[in-house]
Amino acid sequence: MDARFLGIAELVETPPVAVVVDVMRAFTVAAWAFAQGAEKIVLAESLDDALALKAHHPDWVALKDGPPAPGFDAVNSPGLLRSVDLGGRTVVQKTTAGTVGALAVKEASLVLCAGFVVAEATARLLRTRECDRVTFVVTGEDGQADEDLACAQYIAGRAAGAGTDAAEFLRRAASSRAAAELAEGVRQGVHPDDVALCLELDRFPFAMVAALEDSLMVLRPCAMPSPAEGALI
């Protein structure tokens, strides 16, 4: 597989297949939202757009980075979201990097959003679709976030069929600037368990596919059976 690793600003053309990686914390939060029963996640262009969507759909759950704010129901924290019942709900998510990266490649034929919690399912979907050219969008720190790059490189290795050991990639993520900022309370809207939850490898058995639906970029889970389960089908 021909894998490229680019920051958002380096995306000069729309790739055919894009995997948008935000480990800490957008797409870890998205995965938890689905685990808590959310039906879909709408990726908002801006905070104002998120609030406008919420105004038109009062039953939707609006979520943002940073501290709580008027009009928003939740913050971008897996530790805080894991106790919220989202059964059948639509979530509107706006974050600093992850949602921006997904919207930057919204015209791609296939857009996956990923973190370590859905790494293997993401790699399995890429293998199933026989994707030979994949652009990994490293969203954090203008493409320099080591937790995102490490996760992207790990998924790329797994998608290529390599027996990639996750330990070193997880170590890099745990040593990243983002992990330190979350652990030290530099960022707001944080739960003490957030870093550990972001580093849970393959917590969930689904990939997350984003696609345009009526002009909105919508993220949905895509269940990927394990190899053992696939053999039984």
Side-chain angles (χ1 to χ4, degrees):
M1 187 183 74
D2 177 17
R4 297 190 302 162
F5 305 91
L6 301 176
I8 297 170
E10 297 174 292
L11 293 164
V12 296
E13 59 184 10
T14 300
V17 178
V19 179
V20 187
V21 182
D22 189 329
V23 173
M24 297 184 185
R25 295 165 284 171
F27 297 138
T28 301
V29 166
W32 270 99
F34 290 129
Q36 294 301 105
E39 177 188 350
K40 64 184 179 183
I41 298 174
V42 176
L43 305 178
E45 295 269 3
S46 68
L47 294 175
D48 286 343
D49 285 346
L51 289 174
L53 287 166
K54 170 73 175 180
H56 282 93
H57 306 276
D59 58 324
W60 288 10
V61 177
L63 181 155
K64 63 177 282 292
D65 267 340
F72 286 89
D73 306 289
V75 295
N76 192 47
S77 162
L80 295 171
L81 198 70
R82 64 183 169 175
S83 61
V84 179
D85 180 5
L86 295 173
R89 306 287 292 279
T90 293
V91 173
V92 180
Q93 186 181 34
K94 170 66 179 87
T95 69
T96 307
T99 58
V100 176
L103 289 163
V105 293
K106 63 184 179 182
E107 302 295 340
S109 298
L110 176 63
V111 179
L112 306 179
C113 295
F116 281 109
V117 291
V118 293
E120 184 60 32
T122 303
R124 193 173 300 128
L125 192 150
L126 292 171
R127 292 196 303 268
T128 301
R129 300 283 183 93
E130 298 181 347
C131 300
D132 55 0
R133 291 185 59 222
V134 180
T135 296
F136 289 85
V137 183
V138 180
T139 61
E141 298 176 32
D142 296 323
Q144 302 302 308
D146 202 34
E147 75 280 3
D148 294 339
L149 180 59
C151 183
Q153 291 171 336
Y154 175 72
I155 292 172
R158 296 295 298 166
T164 307
D165 184 356
E168 176 60 20
F169 299 96
L170 290 168
R171 185 201 65 77
R172 285 168 52 193
S175 302
S176 67
R177 178 188 299 179
E181 290 180 351
L182 289 172
E184 295 166 8
V186 174
R187 302 186 186 187
Q188 294 181 292
V190 177
H191 187 279
D193 293 342
D194 277 358
V195 173
L197 291 173
C198 290
L199 298 178
E200 282 192 315
L201 185 66
D202 303 330
R203 170 77 187 237
F204 304 114
F206 52 79
M208 298 187 294
V209 181
L212 288 169
E213 299 182 16
D214 297 326
S215 79
L216 296 176
M217 193 64 165
V218 177
L219 187 64
R220 296 182 183 273
C222 178
M224 297 300 296
S226 70
E229 290 171 338
L232 297 174
I233 296 175

